[in-house]
Amino acid sequence: MRLTFVTTNAGKAAEVRSLLMALGIEIGVRAIRLTEIQSDSLEEISARCCEEAYEILREPVFVEDSGLFIERLNGFPGPYSSYVQRTIGNAGILKLMAGEENRRAYFRSCIACKLSDGPVKLFSGVCVGRISHEPRGSGGFGFDPLFIPDEGDGRTFAEMDVKEKSAISHRGKAVRLFAEWLKLAR
Ligand code: ITT
């Protein structure tokens, strides 16, 4: 079965592809920009995007929606992470967090998959950590230089290689659940 990941984010595509390859699942990647509805729920956003991707391609597809939720900012940027990354970027986030003691944050990932005309299936993962005081590392993408996962050793995601990051990341967790289901569904 051909399975296509629809994303315009090359960093996400690389992580998901290498995670699934290691589990014996090959995917294609299509960079189609889908309509992202405004919603506080990653599940709702990814499910709608998945329906749209399936309508366009008429073949087994999945999408992934993710975001960084900062406690002190009441969950901002959350579902708006992509827009915030493109506009104020990591420097803007650090400015908003200047002088803040509470730096707790988490990443969430939600994968939505549709193999046939049936319902969309959802898989999610969370990675809890904190926002650093300055950007560190050159790996990964997006907010990686700012995020220090609790399950790590004090390094930011951007200071880890892709395997180290995926072993504990929100996306790694969601992809492993997805892969388990795929193996049964295929
Ligand atoms: P697609 O919708 O085309 O897949 P996108 O980048 O717009 O690409 P999202 O809407 O899911 O994807 O945006 C999530 C944003 O959250 C992403 O652009 C990053 O800025 C950030 N993000 C998500 N996961 C991340 C991670 O593992 N490391 C760093 N930043 C991450």
Side-chain angles (χ1 to χ4, degrees), residues 3-186:
L3 181 61
T4 302
F5 180 26
V6 177
T7 180
T8 59
N9 184 319
K12 269 190 197 181
E15 286 181 15
V16 170
R17 177 175 261 146
S18 85
L19 271 158
L20 288 176
M21 280 265 267
L23 298 167
I25 299 165
E26 274 201 42
I27 56 163
V29 174
R30 291 283 302 268
I32 302 171
R33 186 154 283 290
L34 301 165
T35 318
E36 235 175 65
I37 56 159
Q38 281 209 2
S39 165
D40 287 350
S41 155
L42 295 184
E43 278 77 7
E44 208 180 327
I45 298 168
S46 61
R48 289 279 204 93
C49 284
C50 185
E51 296 279 9
E52 189 187 354
Y54 186 79
E55 283 310 310
I56 295 168
L57 297 174
R58 302 303 298 178
E59 63 181 25
V61 290
F62 69 101
V63 301
E64 191 255 16
D65 206 67
S66 42
L68 175 68
F69 297 75
I70 301 175
E71 195 172 286
R72 189 68 186 84
L73 304 179
N74 299 326
F76 180 85
Y80 308 103
S81 291
S82 175
Y83 178 72
V84 168
Q85 181 60 228
R86 284 199 309 275
T87 51
I88 63 172
N90 288 344
I93 293 290
L94 285 177
K95 238 186 209 171
L96 288 173
M97 292 297 289
E100 293 296 348
E101 294 254 308
N102 175 7
R103 307 190 74 85
R104 308 294 308 154
Y106 62 89
F107 269 119
R108 273 199 76 215
S109 159
C110 183
I111 292 173
C113 176
K114 191 164 160 103
L115 298 181
S116 61
D117 286 334
V120 169
K121 281 289 293 181
L122 299 173
F123 307 87
S124 59
V126 178
C127 181
V128 177
R130 64 182 197 276
I131 303 297
S132 62
H133 287 274
E134 70 291 309
R136 289 204 320 257
S138 56
F141 66 97
F143 300 109
D144 281 344
L146 302 188
F147 188 76
I148 305 169
D150 284 353
E151 286 172 74
D153 55 8
R155 283 177 296 161
T156 65
F157 268 162
E159 293 176 302
M160 300 179 185
D161 65 33
V162 74
K163 259 193 158 172
E164 287 174 310
K165 176 183 170 185
S166 292
I168 55 177
S169 77
H170 49 309
R171 186 163 299 105
K173 288 169 185 163
V175 168
R176 282 188 289 275
L177 291 176
F178 176 42
E180 260 172 48
W181 174 80
L182 263 181
K183 286 195 168 163
L184 297 174
R186 300 214 292 174

